[in-house]
Amino acid sequence: MRDTLSDADFQEDCCSVLVALTPSHDLEVFQRMIETEDKLALQKLTDDCKAVVDAGVVNVLLESARTHPDDPDIQELMCRILFHLARTDDDSVNRALSSTVDQVVKAMRSHQQHVGVQLTACGALRNFAIGSDNK
């Protein structure tokens, strides 16, 4: 992705692939994991999120979002990935994600009329705000 930062269409395609690779569960599945204290499933989610962060995905996402601030699709995909990654309570993941808050807020300000950006950004910020102590 870094070699093609100027190509917005390619960046959007790459972000779509990253969404597919990012560990995610719909809200009901995630809630059930928490309610039943499914430690194995929660640990797998944490391990998968950590692997994505350790692979450098967050930095690449930020580069792409900063290069294409006027592209709502790239901004929405970035927020969607961050939303899913922020569901974990792993400290190293949370530290990596703390650097993304400003970009999420910029996306919200730049795309106030784009429902997808607003929804995914709010979800990401909510998950950031919950913090590892409350998950």
Side-chain angles (χ1 to χ4, degrees), residues 7 12 25 29 47-48 61-62 67 75 84 89 95 121 124:
D7 185 341
E12 185 178 336
H25 296 286
V29 172
D47 292 346
D48 291 347
L61 278 176
L62 288 176
T67 302
Q75 301 301 315
H84 291 300
D89 63 355
R95 276 192 303 279

Side-chain angles (χ1 to χ4, degrees), residues 45-46 49 84-90 93-94 97 132 135:
L45 177 66
T46 297
C49 288
H84 291 300
L85 291 175
R87 286 184 170 176
T88 183
D89 63 355
D90 184 80
V93 171
N94 290 329
L97 296 179
S132 61
K135 289 185 185 169

Side-chain angles (χ1 to χ4, degrees), residues 33-87:
M33 286 168 39
I34 301 235
E35 288 172 359
T36 62
E37 297 182 17
D38 187 343
K39 292 183 182 358
L40 187 60
L42 289 169
Q43 186 59 52
K44 179 167 178 12
L45 177 66
T46 297
D47 292 346
D48 291 347
C49 288
K50 191 168 171 28
V52 168
V53 169
D54 289 347
V57 168
V58 172
N59 291 332
V60 173
L61 278 176
L62 288 176
E63 285 181 49
S64 183
R66 289 176 182 143
T67 302
H68 302 284
D70 298 326
D71 189 318
D73 295 325
I74 290 175
Q75 301 301 315
E76 179 181 354
L77 289 166
M78 173 198 65
C79 292
R80 184 177 310 279
I81 292 167
L82 297 174
F83 165 78
H84 291 300
L85 291 175
R87 286 184 170 176

Side-chain angles (χ1 to χ4, degrees), residues 117-130:
V117 171
Q118 296 300 313
L119 285 174
T120 57
C122 284
L125 292 174
R126 181 195 68 216
N127 286 349
F128 296 156
I130 290 172

